Amino acid sequence: MKVRVPPIKCQGIKSKLIPLIQRTVDWSFDGTWIEPFMGSGVVGFNIMPRNALFADSNPHLINFYEAIANGKLDGLKVRSFLEREGAILSQRGQDYYYEVRARFNRYHHPLDFLFLNRSCFNGVIRFNSKGGFNVPFGHKPQRFSKAYITKIVNQVDFVHTISRTFNWSFVCQDFRETLSGISEGDFVYCDPPYVGRHVDYFDSWNEENERQLFTILSQCPCRFILSTWHSNQHRENAFLGTLWSRFNILTKEHFYHVGAKEANRKPVLEALVTNFTPKHLP
Ligand SMILES: C[S@@+](CC[C@H](N)C(=O)[O-])C[C@H]1O[C@@H](n2cnc3c(N)ncnc32)[C@H](O)[C@@H]1O
């Protein structure tokens, strides 16, 4: 099945792992899909549960999807905004990008967030110690071509339609809160930041977080999948052999598309940790 791409990009986006995750999710779909680290939302959006709780500690991601779900943002509004702002970007280039960035850091409008996310360097989401978006310009003044805008509008329309068809909520909260109300028939998909990978204002992760997540998931009354990394060229994820070793571990080679140069895009062996035996092994 074709992978549905969300309108927001982020580091660690799991688009390439969707077929594996879809095959691994073994669930009746009767309860609630619980995703405490939604990021771009690509995983849940492709699973398409009837009931879902999408959460993240980054308020800008949540505001964006919440605006789509409650109808404040739709494809039409996104098209007219990107056509207007994209035309100014093509005339004024990086000066305008930095103007929009300053405007976003002042007013936090979801449309500015989308504009920055789709024209910044490498589509990453990163905030400085004061919570200001600080990703530089992606150096493409002609970024918002007609075709590119249409692609984004279709992605927004897709989320708009499914989030209104199903019973989905988007909540900005810490994973400990999201995981405090799980029931037996639910399904939890966790994709936390990888320890030691990168740290910013809304998105940091340390050993203590990993241990707390382990404790919570060890008592999880329903099935869960945890995404993590297995190894790269230089080292292995020690937590797989220690903390997570009592669960099932599936791996798949996956390439990360974040990084300035092709040479810096090191292959990472991704892992899925599950508390059930998957029916379809890769
Ligand atoms: C690896 S990304 C998730 C990527 C997502 N699965 C995707 O495919 O787009 C991790 C996410 O966890 C969020 N996050 C970091 N710390 C968190 C916390 N303590 N509670 C909830 N979310 C957190 C970050 O903002 C980030 O969006």
Side-chain angles (χ1 to χ4, degrees):
M1 224 165 63
K2 194 175 154 243
V3 172
R4 300 306 303 242
V5 178
I8 294 291
K9 308 281 159 217
C10 70
Q11 50 274 50
I13 188 167
K14 294 297 179 293
S15 319
K16 294 232 157 58
L17 287 186
I18 295 300
L20 175 66
I21 296 171
Q22 277 173 326
R23 281 201 304 278
T24 308
V25 172
D26 181 7
W27 178 45
S28 66
F29 283 73
D30 288 337
T32 302
W33 172 264
I34 298 188
E35 199 170 332
F37 309 91
M38 75 168 288
S40 70
V42 71
V43 178
F45 296 171
N46 279 277
I47 296 291
M48 277 201 229
R50 283 194 295 272
N51 303 302
L53 169 59
F54 290 99
D56 202 284
S57 57
N58 183 331
H60 307 298
L61 284 170
I62 299 299
N63 286 347
F64 178 77
Y65 283 124
E66 175 57 18
I68 294 179
N70 68 23
K72 281 192 189 142
L73 271 194
D74 59 19
L76 273 180
K77 287 182 188 144
V78 166
R79 182 181 291 284
S80 84
F81 177 83
L82 291 182
E83 279 176 358
R84 189 185 70 227
E85 298 293 305
I88 308 178
L89 182 72
S90 76
Q91 282 164 11
R92 298 194 34 218
Q94 70 168 8
D95 286 353
Y96 193 62
Y97 172 87
Y98 289 109
E99 234 174 87
V100 175
R101 197 174 82 170
R103 186 171 74 194
F104 170 74
N105 283 333
R106 195 150 177 211
Y107 301 111
H108 306 140
H109 198 288
L111 281 170
D112 282 339
F113 183 60
L114 176 67
F115 175 95
L116 295 171
N117 182 256
R118 300 304 293 251
S119 58
C120 72
F121 188 68
N122 272 332
V124 294
I125 298 179
R126 205 180 56 211
F127 295 84
N128 62 25
S129 59
K130 291 186 181 133
F133 184 82
N134 67 354
V135 184
F137 183 43
H139 303 299
K140 288 185 186 149
Q142 312 302 326
R143 184 64 168 153
F144 294 102
S145 65
K146 235 183 157 97
Y148 193 58
I149 292 175
T150 297
K151 198 163 145 184
I152 299 171
V153 165
N154 290 341
Q155 292 161 348
V156 167
D157 278 339
F158 164 67
V159 179
H160 182 68
T161 306
I162 51 171
S163 59
R164 291 168 82 81
T165 305
F166 298 121
N167 177 24
W168 287 7
S169 44
F170 296 92
V171 183
C172 180
Q173 62 189 16
D174 184 79
F175 74 95
R176 285 156 277 237
E177 207 174 334
T178 307
L179 291 172
S180 64
I182 317 167
S183 308
E184 218 174 295
D186 297 341
F187 194 100
V188 172
Y189 172 71
C190 280
D191 184 15
Y194 296 168
V195 180
R197 273 295 172 84
H198 84 266
V199 171
D200 84 21
Y201 191 74
F202 298 112
D203 187 10
S204 64
W205 198 251
N206 58 26
E207 204 171 318
E208 180 56 22
N209 291 136
E210 187 90 2
R211 288 187 188 284
Q212 287 184 9
L213 180 61
F214 169 76
T215 304
I216 296 170
L217 290 181
S218 295
Q219 293 152 11
C220 183
C222 68
R223 292 184 167 187
F224 75 77
I225 295 178
L226 166 83
S227 275
T228 188
W229 66 285
H230 179 278
S231 50
N232 63 21
Q233 285 165 321
H234 307 293
R235 56 194 183 105
E236 291 200 350
N237 179 357
F239 291 114
L240 278 182
T242 52
L243 276 188
W244 302 104
S245 62
R246 70 152 115 144
F247 297 110
N248 303 296
I249 298 172
L250 293 171
T251 57
K252 184 183 189 301
E253 175 107 332
H254 175 59
F255 244 85
Y256 260 94
H257 289 281
V258 169
K261 293 189 187 123
E262 201 65 42
N264 292 338
R265 294 174 184 165
K266 303 276 193 290
V268 172
L269 185 61
E270 294 281 344
L272 299 184
V273 177
T274 68
N275 63 347
F276 59 95
T277 308
K279 277 193 195 140
H280 306 285
L281 294 171

